[in-house]
Amino acid sequence: MTSKPDLRRRTLLKAGATLPVATTLYASASYADGHAAPPNSRVFSFPIGDFQLSTMLVGNRLAEDPQTIFALNVDAEEFARVSAQNFLPADKFQFFFTPTVINTGTEVILFDTGLSAELTVPVLTATGLTPDQVDIVVITHMHGDHISGLTQEDGSLTYPNARYVTGQVEFDAWAQMDDEGFNTKVRPLAEKMTFVGDQDAVVSGVSAMAAFGHTPGHMVYMIESQGQQILLLADLVAHHVWSLAYPEWELKFDRDKAAATASRRKYLDMAVADRLPIIGYHLPFPAVGYVDRRDDGFRYVPASYQFML
């Protein structure tokens, strides 16, 4: 395997190799007029102790009628009121898709693989890494926007030198389903899989934690180095207002809505109590921020310059 670059020596501006503009529905980052965003708007790199993290915007999508997905148990008037309070339209929204890659100095760990290898690999390359340098691929759960980039269009492995890690409960649950995405992308990798449970370590400084509900075995991950921590939430929250701020608001894609709500409460309470930064796969890019109390709910505080200090 080729050697790992020291990402701590890189800057966001150096991560600016030109990326192809995707033509799929889930396009690479773009402005409202359809023009591609600059490459450095797709990668956000920052340190946690001795680890270098990069969140990667591998896709975004404009969608309408958000209440067909979010806040299913909320009346339209309240949804519109809360949306207006947060300067959001109530009739459309943006989906964001943001895997995270971590360079520990000895291993490169990719969390989730995006909607396709075609969309994810160019953004990974902009961080200074190539797919063959990825040592571990962690799948937080088995929804298509997290597993579809595991293989390329010809069926070959996108990350040929990696081992794969996922939750035991999650894998076992999906193995009982007749799901085409799982059968195509994940099941063939079973022999290469390492399975984790609650509190199990992926490597030193990266620990899995059960956050069931969104899917049967959805996991979040605590990242820790040199006394600094960040909580990778995956799909625990799906929107910074309609999910994080109001954890009881039901999400269409949560398999067990009561369990998902309980998991949101548990880990958002943890983030507040311990003043932990968080990463959310579907939060507005760069998908990094903090959580504070708001009455009986929460408030999302996007990261600004904290990681530059």
Side-chain angles (χ1 to χ4, degrees), residues 139 141-143 146-148 150-151 164 166 170-171 174 179-193 195:
I139 300 299
H141 64 292
M142 303 297 175
H143 280 161
H146 296 256
I147 65 172
S148 293
L150 283 167
T151 57
Y164 301 85
T166 197
E170 180 76 351
F171 184 92
W174 286 81
D179 181 83
E180 181 180 358
F182 177 86
N183 290 338
T184 301
K185 299 289 185 176
V186 180
R187 195 184 294 273
L189 297 173
E191 296 301 318
K192 296 178 178 288
M193 287 278 182
F195 299 105

Side-chain angles (χ1 to χ4, degrees), residues 205-209 220-224 229-232 270 276:
V206 179
S207 299
M209 297 186 293
V220 300
Y221 289 82
M222 182 68 78
I223 316 301
E224 182 172 7
Q229 295 177 311
I230 191 166
L231 186 56
L232 191 150
M270 177 188 294
L276 295 172

Side-chain angles (χ1 to χ4, degrees), residues 46-61:
F46 59 99
I48 293 291
D50 287 336
F51 294 176
Q52 182 77 5
L53 281 67
S54 295
T55 57
M56 304 181 297
L57 182 60
V58 302
N60 69 299
R61 179 168 66 94

Side-chain angles (χ1 to χ4, degrees), residues 32 61-67 70 79 83 87-95 239 242:
R61 179 168 66 94
L62 177 65
E64 298 182 349
D65 300 323
Q67 217 176 346
F70 301 96
F79 183 79
S83 298
F87 302 93
L88 296 172
D91 61 342
K92 57 188 174 182
F93 67 102
Q94 278 278 347
F95 260 131
H239 190 275
W242 305 328

Side-chain angles (χ1 to χ4, degrees), residues 16 45 66 97 104 122 151 171 186 188 208 258 266 284:
S45 297
F97 304 87
T104 70
T151 57
F171 184 92
V186 180
K266 175 180 178 178

Side-chain angles (χ1 to χ4, degrees), residues 266-276 291-293 298:
K266 175 180 178 178
Y267 290 106
L268 293 176
D269 280 339
M270 177 188 294
V272 171
D274 296 339
R275 298 183 64 82
L276 295 172
V291 184
D292 198 4
R293 298 283 180 198
F298 301 93

Side-chain angles (χ1 to χ4, degrees), residues 123-161:
V123 191
L124 177 69
T125 302
T127 72
L129 294 165
T130 55
D132 66 308
Q133 292 175 308
V134 174
D135 299 297
I136 302 170
V137 175
V138 177
I139 300 299
T140 62
H141 64 292
M142 303 297 175
H143 280 161
D145 56 322
H146 296 256
I147 65 172
S148 293
L150 283 167
T151 57
Q152 302 184 66
E153 289 187 2
D154 62 3
S156 62
L157 293 177
T158 308
Y159 308 99
N161 298 318

